[in-house]
C-alpha cells in the first residue's frame, strides 16, 4: 500500500484501492479519434490543461523534460488533454516552446472518473489500467523523485 510519503506530488489523492479507468475518447489535430482503453498495459500520464491556465503553462517546461526522458519507452504514454477547440490549441502552441514538444490532444468524450475541481490535473494510471494518483495543481514534473516513482510503476 502506498502512502503520501511515497509519492513526490503536491495536492495528491492516492487511491488506496486503485480505480479502473473507463473509456474516454480524444483526438489528435488530424481528427483521428483515440480511446484511452487502447493504452491498457502501459503506464499512462494524463494531464488536463488549457491555454488560458497560467499554472498549467507554468508546469509545461518540467512536463516537457519528463516526457523527453521517457518518449522512447514504449511502456509509458503521455497524454496532454484539453477541452478547448482544436483551433484554439493549435493557435497557442507556437507561443510556448514546451507545448510544441508534447503529445497534445482534444477531449471528445469525458468521464466522471476524470473529473476535477481545477486544472492542471494529472492522473497516473498503472499498467493494470487503474488510476493510482490524481495530482491537482502545478508540480515540478522533472524532479528526480517523480522519475523514481514512475520507474517503480514501470
Amino acid at each position: 500500500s502506498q502512502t503520501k510519503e511515497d509519492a513526490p506530488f503536491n495536492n495528491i489523492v492516492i487511491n488506496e484501492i486503485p480505480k479502473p479507468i473507463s473509456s474516454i475518447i480524444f483526438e489528435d489535430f488530424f481528427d483521428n479519434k483515440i480511446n484511452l482503453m487502447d493504452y491498457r498495459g502501459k503506464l499512462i500520464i494524463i494531464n488536463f490543461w488549457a491555454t488560458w491556465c497560467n499554472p498549467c503553462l507554468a508546469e509545461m517546461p518540467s512536463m516537457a523534460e519528463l516526457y523527453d526522458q521517457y518518449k522512447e519507452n514504449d511502456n509509458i504514454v503521455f497524454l496532454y488533454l484539453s477541452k478547448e477547440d482544436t483551433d484554439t490549441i493549435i493557435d497557442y502552441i507556437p507561443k510556448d516552446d514546451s507545448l510544441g514538444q508534447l503529445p497534445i490532444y482534444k477531449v471528445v468524450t469525458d468521464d466522471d472518473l476524470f473529473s476535477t475541481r481545477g486544472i492542471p490535473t494529472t492522473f497516473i494510471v498503472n499498467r493494470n489500467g487503474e488510476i493510482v494518483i490524481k495530482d491537482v495543481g502545478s508540480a515540478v514534473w522533472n524532479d528526480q523523485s517523480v522519475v523514481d516513482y514512475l520507474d517503480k510503476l514501470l
Side-chain angles (χ1 to χ4, degrees):
S1 172
Q2 295 171 319
T3 64
K4 287 196 179 200
E5 291 76 39
D6 294 334
F9 309 104
N10 295 329
N11 302 304
I12 66 168
V13 174
I14 296 175
N15 294 321
E16 295 295 333
I17 300 171
K19 297 178 180 178
I21 60 170
S22 51
S23 176
I24 63 169
I25 308 294
F26 47 96
E27 64 187 15
D28 63 18
F29 298 141
F30 304 102
D31 297 325
N32 297 310
K33 293 194 177 11
I34 302 157
N35 188 324
L36 183 60
M37 301 303 276
D38 295 344
Y39 296 114
R40 277 192 90 108
K42 298 180 184 291
L43 180 62
I44 309 169
I45 313 299
I46 304 168
N47 176 264
F48 285 92
W49 71 284
T51 60
W52 50 262
C53 168
N54 287 332
C56 299
L57 300 173
E59 75 175 358
M60 284 304 173
S62 70
M63 278 285 191
E65 285 187 28
L66 182 68
Y67 170 71
D68 197 50
Q69 289 184 55
Y70 288 99
K71 67 183 177 187
E72 303 299 324
N73 187 330
D74 292 336
N75 294 313
I76 187 168
V77 175
F78 288 81
L79 305 171
Y80 298 90
L81 305 181
S82 177
K83 296 179 182 181
E84 295 174 285
D85 285 346
T86 302
D87 288 343
T88 300
I89 301 166
I90 291 172
D91 289 347
Y92 192 85
I93 288 174
K95 298 174 186 171
D96 188 307
D97 291 339
S98 299
L99 290 174
Q101 303 170 43
L102 299 173
I104 296 174
Y105 303 91
K106 180 192 176 339
V107 175
V108 176
T109 64
D110 209 350
D111 186 290
D112 287 345
L113 189 62
F114 292 102
S115 66
T116 181
R117 290 186 316 244
I119 55 175
T121 296
T122 302
F123 295 88
I124 298 177
V125 178
N126 68 18
R127 295 179 73 179
N128 295 324
E130 302 163 323
I131 298 171
V132 291
I133 295 284
K134 176 181 179 179
D135 184 65
V136 180
S138 256
V140 181
W141 291 100
N142 59 342
D143 187 85
Q144 187 60 46
S145 60
V146 175
V147 172
D148 293 344
Y149 184 79
L150 294 179
D151 286 346
K152 276 192 229 176
L153 293 176
L154 283 169

